[in-house]
Short mmCIF file of all heavy atoms in Angstrom, two decimals:
data_model
loop_
_atom_site.label_atom_id
_atom_site.label_comp_id
_atom_site.label_asym_id
_atom_site.label_seq_id
_atom_site.Cartn_x
_atom_site.Cartn_y
_atom_site.Cartn_z
N LEU A 1460 112.57 -24.48 173.21
CA LEU A 1460 113.51 -23.37 173.19
C LEU A 1460 114.90 -23.86 172.85
O LEU A 1460 115.55 -23.25 172.04
CB LEU A 1460 113.52 -22.67 174.62
CG LEU A 1460 114.54 -21.60 174.79
CD1 LEU A 1460 114.04 -20.31 174.20
CD2 LEU A 1460 114.92 -21.44 176.25
N ALA A 1461 115.33 -24.92 173.49
CA ALA A 1461 116.67 -25.43 173.36
C ALA A 1461 116.84 -25.92 171.95
O ALA A 1461 117.95 -25.73 171.27
CB ALA A 1461 117.06 -26.44 174.34
N ALA A 1462 115.88 -26.67 171.45
CA ALA A 1462 115.95 -27.42 170.16
C ALA A 1462 115.87 -26.47 169.00
O ALA A 1462 116.63 -26.54 167.99
CB ALA A 1462 115.03 -28.48 170.05
N MET A 1463 114.98 -25.46 169.05
CA MET A 1463 114.73 -24.62 167.90
C MET A 1463 115.84 -23.68 167.66
O MET A 1463 116.11 -23.26 166.45
CB MET A 1463 113.46 -23.76 168.09
CG MET A 1463 113.51 -22.71 169.18
SD MET A 1463 111.83 -21.90 169.47
CE MET A 1463 111.69 -20.91 167.97
N ARG A 1464 116.76 -23.53 168.54
CA ARG A 1464 117.98 -22.74 168.24
C ARG A 1464 118.93 -23.40 167.31
O ARG A 1464 119.62 -22.80 166.56
CB ARG A 1464 118.77 -22.45 169.62
CG ARG A 1464 118.07 -21.65 170.65
CD ARG A 1464 118.84 -21.57 171.95
NE ARG A 1464 120.05 -20.81 171.80
CZ ARG A 1464 121.26 -21.36 171.75
NH1 ARG A 1464 121.46 -22.71 171.85
NH2 ARG A 1464 122.36 -20.63 171.59
N ARG A 1465 118.76 -24.79 167.25
CA ARG A 1465 119.68 -25.59 166.42
C ARG A 1465 118.95 -26.09 165.19
O ARG A 1465 119.59 -26.24 164.13
CB ARG A 1465 120.24 -26.77 167.21
CG ARG A 1465 121.18 -26.29 168.37
CD ARG A 1465 122.50 -25.93 167.78
NE ARG A 1465 123.42 -25.17 168.66
CZ ARG A 1465 124.62 -24.61 168.27
NH1 ARG A 1465 124.92 -24.72 167.07
NH2 ARG A 1465 125.28 -24.01 169.18
N VAL A 1466 117.71 -26.52 165.29
CA VAL A 1466 117.08 -27.21 164.17
C VAL A 1466 115.82 -26.53 163.67
O VAL A 1466 115.10 -27.00 162.84
CB VAL A 1466 116.80 -28.65 164.53
CG1 VAL A 1466 118.11 -29.40 164.80
CG2 VAL A 1466 115.95 -28.76 165.81
N GLY A 1467 115.41 -25.38 164.31
CA GLY A 1467 114.21 -24.72 163.86
C GLY A 1467 112.95 -25.19 164.60
O GLY A 1467 112.98 -26.25 165.25
N ARG A 1468 111.88 -24.46 164.53
CA ARG A 1468 110.69 -24.78 165.29
C ARG A 1468 110.04 -26.04 164.85
O ARG A 1468 109.68 -26.85 165.67
CB ARG A 1468 109.72 -23.58 165.18
CG ARG A 1468 108.44 -23.69 166.05
CD ARG A 1468 107.54 -22.55 165.81
NE ARG A 1468 108.17 -21.21 166.16
CZ ARG A 1468 108.18 -20.74 167.37
NH1 ARG A 1468 107.58 -21.35 168.37
NH2 ARG A 1468 108.78 -19.50 167.51
N LYS A 1469 109.98 -26.24 163.53
CA LYS A 1469 109.24 -27.52 162.98
C LYS A 1469 109.97 -28.75 163.49
O LYS A 1469 109.31 -29.66 164.01
CB LYS A 1469 109.23 -27.42 161.56
CG LYS A 1469 108.47 -28.66 160.87
CD LYS A 1469 108.39 -28.43 159.36
CE LYS A 1469 107.63 -29.57 158.67
NZ LYS A 1469 108.26 -30.88 158.83
N ARG A 1470 111.29 -28.80 163.31
CA ARG A 1470 112.03 -30.00 163.70
C ARG A 1470 112.04 -30.15 165.22
O ARG A 1470 112.01 -31.29 165.83
CB ARG A 1470 113.49 -29.94 163.23
CG ARG A 1470 114.42 -31.09 163.69
CD ARG A 1470 113.74 -32.45 163.13
NE ARG A 1470 114.63 -33.54 163.57
CZ ARG A 1470 114.29 -34.76 163.70
NH1 ARG A 1470 112.94 -35.09 163.51
NH2 ARG A 1470 115.11 -35.75 164.03
N ALA A 1471 112.00 -29.00 165.93
CA ALA A 1471 111.98 -29.07 167.44
C ALA A 1471 110.71 -29.68 167.99
O ALA A 1471 110.73 -30.50 168.84
CB ALA A 1471 112.06 -27.54 167.99
N LYS A 1472 109.63 -29.39 167.31
CA LYS A 1472 108.34 -30.00 167.62
C LYS A 1472 108.29 -31.48 167.33
O LYS A 1472 107.78 -32.31 168.08
CB LYS A 1472 107.16 -29.33 166.90
CG LYS A 1472 106.94 -27.97 167.43
CD LYS A 1472 105.73 -27.28 166.61
CE LYS A 1472 105.38 -25.87 167.14
NZ LYS A 1472 104.24 -25.23 166.40
N GLU A 1473 108.88 -31.92 166.22
CA GLU A 1473 109.05 -33.28 165.95
C GLU A 1473 109.86 -34.07 166.98
O GLU A 1473 109.50 -35.14 167.41
CB GLU A 1473 109.65 -33.48 164.59
CG GLU A 1473 108.84 -32.96 163.36
CD GLU A 1473 109.54 -33.07 162.06
OE1 GLU A 1473 110.75 -33.22 162.03
OE2 GLU A 1473 108.87 -32.73 161.06
N LEU A 1474 110.97 -33.53 167.43
CA LEU A 1474 111.76 -34.19 168.44
C LEU A 1474 111.04 -34.14 169.78
O LEU A 1474 111.01 -35.16 170.48
CB LEU A 1474 113.06 -33.37 168.63
CG LEU A 1474 114.10 -33.49 167.51
CD1 LEU A 1474 115.25 -32.47 167.75
CD2 LEU A 1474 114.70 -34.89 167.44
N ARG A 1475 110.25 -33.12 170.07
CA ARG A 1475 109.53 -33.09 171.36
C ARG A 1475 108.58 -34.19 171.30
O ARG A 1475 108.22 -34.90 172.41
CB ARG A 1475 108.83 -31.61 171.44
CG ARG A 1475 108.21 -31.41 172.70
CD ARG A 1475 107.58 -30.09 172.77
NE ARG A 1475 106.44 -29.96 171.86
CZ ARG A 1475 105.89 -28.91 171.44
NH1 ARG A 1475 106.41 -27.80 171.70
NH2 ARG A 1475 104.72 -28.84 170.64
N SER A 1476 107.80 -34.42 170.17
CA SER A 1476 106.84 -35.43 170.09
C SER A 1476 107.43 -36.84 170.28
O SER A 1476 106.93 -37.72 170.85
CB SER A 1476 105.97 -35.38 168.81
OG SER A 1476 105.30 -34.21 168.74
N ALA A 1477 108.67 -36.99 169.54
CA ALA A 1477 109.26 -38.27 169.62
C ALA A 1477 109.85 -38.65 171.02
O ALA A 1477 109.95 -39.85 171.38
CB ALA A 1477 110.38 -38.40 168.64
N HIS A 1478 110.07 -37.68 171.83
CA HIS A 1478 110.65 -37.95 173.16
C HIS A 1478 109.81 -37.31 174.28
O HIS A 1478 110.36 -36.86 175.27
CB HIS A 1478 112.04 -37.38 173.18
CG HIS A 1478 113.00 -37.93 172.12
ND1 HIS A 1478 113.72 -39.05 172.36
CD2 HIS A 1478 113.39 -37.44 170.95
CE1 HIS A 1478 114.48 -39.39 171.27
NE2 HIS A 1478 114.26 -38.43 170.37
N SER A 1479 108.51 -37.36 174.07
CA SER A 1479 107.63 -36.72 175.03
C SER A 1479 107.64 -37.11 176.36
O SER A 1479 107.59 -36.38 177.31
CB SER A 1479 106.13 -36.80 174.47
OG SER A 1479 105.75 -38.13 174.29
N GLY A 1480 107.81 -38.45 176.57
CA GLY A 1480 107.85 -39.11 177.99
C GLY A 1480 109.06 -38.62 178.63
O GLY A 1480 109.04 -38.21 179.91
N THR A 1481 110.25 -38.60 178.05
CA THR A 1481 111.49 -38.16 178.71
C THR A 1481 111.38 -36.67 179.05
O THR A 1481 111.79 -36.21 180.07
CB THR A 1481 112.68 -38.41 177.80
OG1 THR A 1481 112.79 -39.80 177.47
CG2 THR A 1481 114.02 -37.86 178.38
N ILE A 1482 110.83 -35.88 178.06
CA ILE A 1482 110.71 -34.46 178.19
C ILE A 1482 109.81 -34.14 179.42
O ILE A 1482 109.92 -33.27 180.21
CB ILE A 1482 110.27 -33.84 176.94
CG1 ILE A 1482 111.43 -33.93 175.91
CG2 ILE A 1482 109.90 -32.28 177.23
CD1 ILE A 1482 110.95 -33.45 174.50
N TRP A 1483 108.69 -34.88 179.46
CA TRP A 1483 107.66 -34.65 180.52
C TRP A 1483 108.37 -35.00 181.90
O TRP A 1483 108.16 -34.29 182.87
CB TRP A 1483 106.44 -35.50 180.33
CG TRP A 1483 105.22 -35.15 181.28
CD1 TRP A 1483 105.30 -34.30 182.37
CD2 TRP A 1483 103.96 -35.58 181.12
NE1 TRP A 1483 104.04 -34.22 182.86
CE2 TRP A 1483 103.16 -34.95 182.18
CE3 TRP A 1483 103.29 -36.49 180.21
CZ2 TRP A 1483 101.88 -35.25 182.43
CZ3 TRP A 1483 101.91 -36.65 180.46
CH2 TRP A 1483 101.24 -36.12 181.51
N LEU A 1484 109.00 -36.09 181.98
CA LEU A 1484 109.69 -36.46 183.25
C LEU A 1484 110.68 -35.49 183.67
O LEU A 1484 110.78 -35.14 184.80
CB LEU A 1484 110.35 -37.89 183.04
CG LEU A 1484 110.89 -38.54 184.29
CD1 LEU A 1484 109.88 -38.71 185.35
CD2 LEU A 1484 111.57 -39.85 183.87
#
Side-chain angles (χ1 to χ4, degrees):
L1460 172 82
M1463 66 186 290
R1464 299 175 65 252
R1465 290 289 168 185
V1466 295
R1468 188 182 297 272
K1469 182 175 183 295
R1470 179 57 180 157
K1472 290 181 178 180
E1473 293 172 352
L1474 287 170
R1475 190 181 69 200
S1476 297
H1478 301 276
S1479 57
T1481 300
I1482 292 168
W1483 191 351
L1484 186 59

